[in-house]
Amino acid sequence: MEGKLPISEGSEGLAEAERPEGTRAPARKGEALGRRDMNVAVLKTKAEQALSERFAGVAEQLPGGADVLEVRRRALGRFEALGLPHRRIEAWKYTDLRNLMKDALPPILDDEVSVSAADLAAALGPLSEIDADRLVFVDGAFRPELSQLDANNDVAGSPLGAALNDKGDTAAADLLRLDGRDDDAMLALNTAYATDGVVLAVAKNTKLDRPVLVVFARAGDEPHFAAARNVVSVGDGASATLIEAHVTLPGAAKQAQTSTVTELAVGEGAAVTHVKWTVEAGNAMHLAHWLVDVGAGADYRAFQLTCGAALARNGLTVTFKGEGAKIDLSGTFLARGSQHVDTTLLVDHAVPACVSRELFKGVLEDTARGVFQGKVIVRPDAQKTDGKQMAQVLMLSPDAEFDSKPELEIYADDVVCGHGSTSADLDEGLLFYCRSRGIPEAQARALLIESFIGEAIAKVEREDVREALTLLARQWLDHAAQA
Amino acid sequence: MLEIKDLHVKIAEEGREILKGLSLKLPKGEVHAIMGPNGSGKSTLAYVLAGREDYEVTKGDILWNGASLLDMEPEERAAAGVFLAFQYPIEIPGVASLTFLRTALNAVRKERGEPELTTPDFMKRVKEKAGKLGIDMEMLKRPVNVGFSGGEKKRSEILQMEVLEPTLCVLDETDSGLDIDALRIVADGVNAMRAKDRAMLVITHYQRLLNYIVPDKVHVMVDGRIQKSGGPELAQQLEQSGYAEYQGKAA
């Protein structure tokens, strides 16, 4: 059993059977010794060693004073203790980073590569049409000349790099510190190396009409590792749309490793639309994690579009902090060739009477691999919880693979929770129906795939964003997005 | 003229033969009915005419205007004028009915060498035909057949047929699941399409539909073959005597 499920309906945590030991060829010598869960000498991988050793070389140049550096050092220590996550860590079961990240690229501080507005617009594609306040980061550093902040707006967005340097030492250290997340190696790695990102605080009761677009662009032709951190809060009763875009400029190095962590606090009664646009290219490894706290009565809507990276991992941890809040997490992932795209959710119903909805749709071609893990925890006193989850994938090739693992951990008794997962090729009956009406096969396929993804995109309420997402998906389907 | 010659068809996967030497001639300008009991192969015939891949034609031919349909893909058949109104219309989540109609119409017009319709012309054509079928334009903004009642689905099939203007209409059990009012609306739609350059094949289990769509000829199909052909009065006889006499004959 190779764990491939070309067609499955309503799977419940059975997407991949555990491989018997010994059926998978060892990735490299020494793996057996290197397993963290065995109480034997821990052998560092080449990548782990590089990530650990290179820190000393850049530590003094990373933004922040002594307290910040101390936070970074401690985080690096955690990373060294934990090592890269591997398949025996449940949250990384299908994305064995220890195995997949053969080597670490050198960290980047700022390469000062020249980027024109036109290049940036081309990389953003349909997203560049959206009227938004913009903060642009190129290869890990803020670029004021490419950014536009409306002076009349209430957006208090500023680059993290500057904030780490300018704020008092303690306050700066607080910006970077991630309390209670000591067990996550990748968050620790991000803390150690983060160079820049956005610090944004939307004031109480402020309604932002224009979205805030935060762009992370790869441009330099030297392969590198870049880490970004965003720290966002939306005050009580405020509303905002935040779009995070990760794109590749023409001429950028094919190889890249990026780590992004976004911390978002949604205030009581606030309404936030949060979009992640990941349209990578080349042999990029994209590792992202959103940590979201949702206040009482708030409405949080997230959408993540992911394509183009050789390996993309989207972690999304959402914790209900107050009663009566609603979240809607949705997204679409598109992968072809040997691309690997992993969406791992953790929804924590820590308080009663909250509603969560998740809908993720994937399209997999060639030998691409999609991963969806959706864990929903309903704490003992989180009564009246209403949670629904669905992950659906179109497998356009018999060699594609989809691993789906919904997990419900319910400790309360008065709740409504459900989940489902499907993966299948395009329905022949649907295809025949379209063709019998005169629609040629290729066009019928495109129409059906687009409508499949469209169900998820429809969750985005802003029409301009929905249109940009639809256009990008169409470009991907036309293969045009693959430069 | 539709000419089906000694058609033998089996289900591709199981190898079971469903049509066992079916022959039929349907001239343009005429409406023929095919009546038969369940399992006689009526729906198989409909699907084979439209080009569904689950069936394998082992012998015989289907000629439409002298050209063999068997060499054509389903979309080529549609462009050549073939239209099948499905017994069970398919739901297409995420595709609005109007988008679907327009995509299909433009595709067949392109194949037929006709220019695409402008948006106002297209909307005018749809509105007019939808109105007669009692179809609300709001309904057409919804995904194809999703959440439609049985009657709405059948009316939506007839609307597609009217918009695409095929020359060979095959209606597979269009009366099933319709109440008497819906039946009348659908029948009116079909009757309005009767024309001298159009051939229509109405497949049904019951005689009821033929009170509203009066055929020029009735064919009795049992066990994959036409057992008897006659005028409209044959349908009345069948209503009285049932199919037993033919089933005995087939066995």
Side-chain angles (χ1 to χ4, degrees):
Chain A
M1 176 94 170
E2 262 300 293
K4 286 193 183 179
L5 273 191
I7 290 176
S8 77
E9 284 281 330
S11 70
E12 185 173 357
L14 44 63
E16 185 173 6
E18 189 63 48
R19 284 166 228 255
E21 285 309 315
T23 55
R24 180 191 272 176
R28 60 186 176 272
K29 281 178 189 167
E31 187 191 40
L33 283 175
R35 281 197 192 121
R36 299 310 154 108
D37 51 340
M38 297 176 82
N39 198 11
V40 292
V42 170
L43 210 87
K44 276 198 161 73
T45 67
K46 199 175 162 194
E48 285 165 346
Q49 215 160 344
L51 287 166
S52 172
E53 285 167 4
R54 282 181 185 137
F55 181 74
V58 294
E60 294 299 328
Q61 299 156 67
L62 289 165
D67 286 7
V68 172
L69 188 55
E70 187 46 37
V71 171
R72 293 186 189 277
R73 284 222 166 91
R74 198 172 297 158
L76 188 77
R78 286 306 299 155
F79 172 75
E80 287 171 335
L82 294 162
L84 286 168
H86 48 83
R87 67 194 168 93
R88 285 169 183 277
I89 290 177
E90 201 56 27
W92 293 82
K93 187 175 166 74
Y94 307 104
T95 302
D96 187 347
L97 209 54
R98 251 195 128 219
N99 189 21
L100 293 165
M101 194 171 187
K102 298 287 181 213
D103 202 353
L105 298 170
I108 191 158
L109 294 164
D110 183 5
D111 59 3
E112 288 170 2
V113 64
S114 112
V115 171
S116 72
D119 285 346
L120 187 65
L124 286 172
L127 197 58
S128 66
E129 304 294 321
I130 290 176
D131 180 32
D133 285 324
R134 267 190 202 185
L135 290 110
V136 178
F137 300 83
V138 177
D139 292 333
F142 182 58
R143 292 296 182 95
E145 76 279 9
L146 295 168
S147 303
Q148 303 155 1
L149 282 175
D150 184 347
N152 300 321
N153 213 327
D154 301 297
V155 181
S158 62
L160 175 82
L164 289 176
N165 283 327
D166 300 346
K167 285 205 179 205
D169 227 13
T170 321
D174 283 346
L175 266 182
L176 208 52
R177 190 182 294 121
L178 289 172
D179 289 326
R181 308 249 172 224
D182 265 1
D183 57 344
D184 190 314
M186 298 316 287
L187 291 179
L189 186 68
N190 181 274
T191 302
Y193 280 100
T195 54
D196 221 332
V198 68
V199 179
L200 176 69
V202 180
K204 219 171 160 173
N205 296 324
T206 303
K207 311 275 180 211
L208 293 186
D209 291 332
R210 276 152 63 90
V212 178
L213 173 61
V214 184
V215 181
F216 295 93
R218 295 207 292 116
D221 56 8
E222 290 288 323
H224 62 246
F225 166 70
R229 170 73 61 85
N230 303 308
V231 185
V232 184
S233 65
V234 178
D236 294 350
S239 65
T241 298
L242 179 67
I243 306 171
E244 192 181 307
H246 299 265
V247 297
T248 306
L249 290 168
K254 283 230 178 308
Q255 295 273 353
Q257 289 165 348
T258 58
S259 156
T260 318
V261 173
T262 298
E263 266 191 288
L264 168 64
V266 181
E268 291 186 7
V272 176
T273 293
H274 196 186
V275 176
K276 183 163 183 278
W277 174 283
T278 308
V279 183
E280 273 286 1
N283 192 13
M285 183 178 277
H286 175 91
L287 305 165
H289 202 136
W290 282 2
L291 299 165
V292 184
D293 285 347
V294 181
D299 185 4
Y300 174 67
R301 303 183 67 86
F303 187 90
Q304 302 194 327
L305 171 119
T306 309
C307 65
L311 186 154
R313 155 84 176 195
N314 283 307
L316 178 45
T317 302
V318 183
T319 308
F320 287 104
K321 292 289 184 184
E323 297 186 20
K326 279 192 297 191
I327 64 168
D328 190 304
L329 315 177
S330 51
T332 182
F333 47 92
L334 314 168
R336 59 167 62 101
S338 57
Q339 290 167 350
H340 177 120
V341 50
D342 176 331
T343 300
T344 294
L345 310 181
L346 173 59
V347 174
D348 190 346
H349 282 270
V351 296
C354 291
V355 179
S356 61
R357 292 287 179 273
E358 293 105 41
L359 175 65
F360 283 77
K361 296 235 177 188
V363 178
L364 303 174
E365 295 182 355
D366 309 323
T367 60
R369 186 175 184 191
V371 175
F372 178 83
Q373 301 188 100
K375 185 168 179 171
V376 178
I377 304 173
V378 182
R379 304 275 172 190
D381 50 355
Q383 303 295 0
K384 307 287 178 197
T385 287
D386 174 359
K388 277 199 187 67
Q389 180 179 97
M390 179 54 81
Q392 295 181 312
V393 157
L394 266 185
M395 310 270 274
L396 299 181
S397 146
D399 300 321
E401 178 174 341
F402 178 50
D403 302 296
S404 175
K405 184 167 59 109
E407 265 183 281
L408 299 182
E409 271 183 29
I410 302 176
Y411 302 102
D413 49 16
D414 183 15
V415 302
V416 182
C417 281
H419 67 78
S421 173
T422 64
S423 66
D425 197 350
L426 274 183
D427 186 293
E428 286 297 324
L430 275 178
L431 209 50
F432 173 66
Y433 189 70
C434 293
R435 295 176 72 191
S436 79
R437 297 310 183 238
I439 304 172
E441 186 175 2
Q443 199 184 347
R445 294 184 80 91
L447 180 77
L448 294 175
I449 298 169
E450 201 181 310
S451 71
F452 173 79
I453 304 168
E455 249 188 304
I457 294 178
K459 294 276 210 158
V460 177
E461 288 176 341
R462 279 190 74 104
E463 194 183 352
D464 52 355
V465 178
R466 209 167 53 229
E467 241 161 53
L469 291 165
T470 305
L471 277 173
L472 195 279
R474 198 172 292 159
Q475 282 174 11
W476 187 88
L477 293 173
D478 291 345
H479 292 229
Q482 298 276 301
Chain B
M1 158 97 107
L2 172 72
E3 203 177 352
I4 304 174
K5 293 180 179 171
D6 190 29
L7 192 67
H8 290 254
V9 171
K10 60 181 190 181
I11 297 179
E13 267 185 18
E14 322 172 4
R16 184 159 55 92
E17 191 167 58
I18 307 288
L19 300 185
K20 305 168 181 175
L22 185 140
S23 296
L24 183 76
K25 280 184 186 175
L26 167 58
K28 279 186 176 181
E30 291 190 12
V31 175
H32 288 197
I34 291 189
M35 297 185 68
N38 290 331
S40 58
K42 302 190 301 292
S43 283
T44 297
L45 175 63
Y47 280 139
V48 170
L49 285 167
R52 195 170 171 130
E53 279 165 5
D54 310 345
Y55 302 96
E56 192 186 326
V57 176
T58 51
K59 197 178 166 196
D61 205 350
I62 305 171
L63 300 177
W64 171 237
N65 296 335
S68 174
L69 285 182
L70 299 181
D71 301 332
M72 299 183 197
E73 297 293 336
E75 55 267 36
E76 293 171 324
R77 298 184 195 203
V82 179
F83 183 95
L84 167 64
F86 281 57
Q87 180 179 3
Y88 303 108
I90 312 266
E91 297 183 0
I92 316 181
V95 181
S97 299
L98 274 174
T99 309
F100 182 72
L101 267 176
R102 184 153 193 195
T103 307
L105 179 63
N106 284 336
V108 296
R109 286 181 72 91
K110 192 176 165 197
E111 277 298 305
R112 291 172 190 168
E114 300 164 12
E116 289 194 357
L117 282 188
T118 62
T119 303
D121 285 350
F122 169 75
M123 290 305 289
K124 197 176 154 215
R125 180 191 283 216
V126 172
K127 257 184 202 158
E128 188 187 299
K129 296 181 189 296
K132 282 186 192 153
L133 287 165
I135 295 175
D136 186 2
M137 289 305 279
E138 282 304 309
M139 183 174 130
L140 295 180
K141 289 177 185 165
R142 284 160 41 197
V144 180
N145 290 325
V146 177
F148 289 15
S149 70
E152 284 173 335
K153 285 181 182 175
K154 294 297 173 79
R155 279 185 280 153
S156 159
E157 290 291 287
I158 302 302
L159 175 65
Q160 289 178 27
M161 185 165 90
E162 294 191 3
V163 168
L164 295 176
E165 296 181 332
T167 45
L168 174 59
C169 304
V170 182
L171 294 100
D172 187 11
E173 306 264 2
T174 295
D175 49 333
S176 69
L178 291 186
D179 62 31
I180 198 74
D181 294 327
L183 186 67
R184 196 169 284 143
I185 292 171
V186 165
D188 286 348
V190 173
N191 284 329
M193 286 194 73
R194 296 179 99 141
K196 66 177 190 317
D197 58 355
R198 182 172 286 137
M200 300 175 108
L201 193 60
V202 179
I203 295 170
T204 183
H205 186 97
Y206 301 104
Q207 178 266 342
R208 186 177 70 149
L209 178 67
L210 305 182
N211 289 338
Y212 300 94
I213 305 171
V214 180
D216 298 294
K217 249 185 171 176
V218 173
H219 306 278
V220 181
M221 180 168 173
V222 175
D223 195 29
R225 259 182 295 234
I226 301 296
Q227 306 285 353
K228 188 175 182 182
S229 300
E233 70 287 350
L234 187 53
Q236 304 288 347
Q237 284 172 25
L238 280 170
E239 190 70 6
Q240 302 294 322
S241 59
Y243 296 108
E245 142 190 19
Y246 303 101
Q247 278 163 321
K249 196 163 134 189

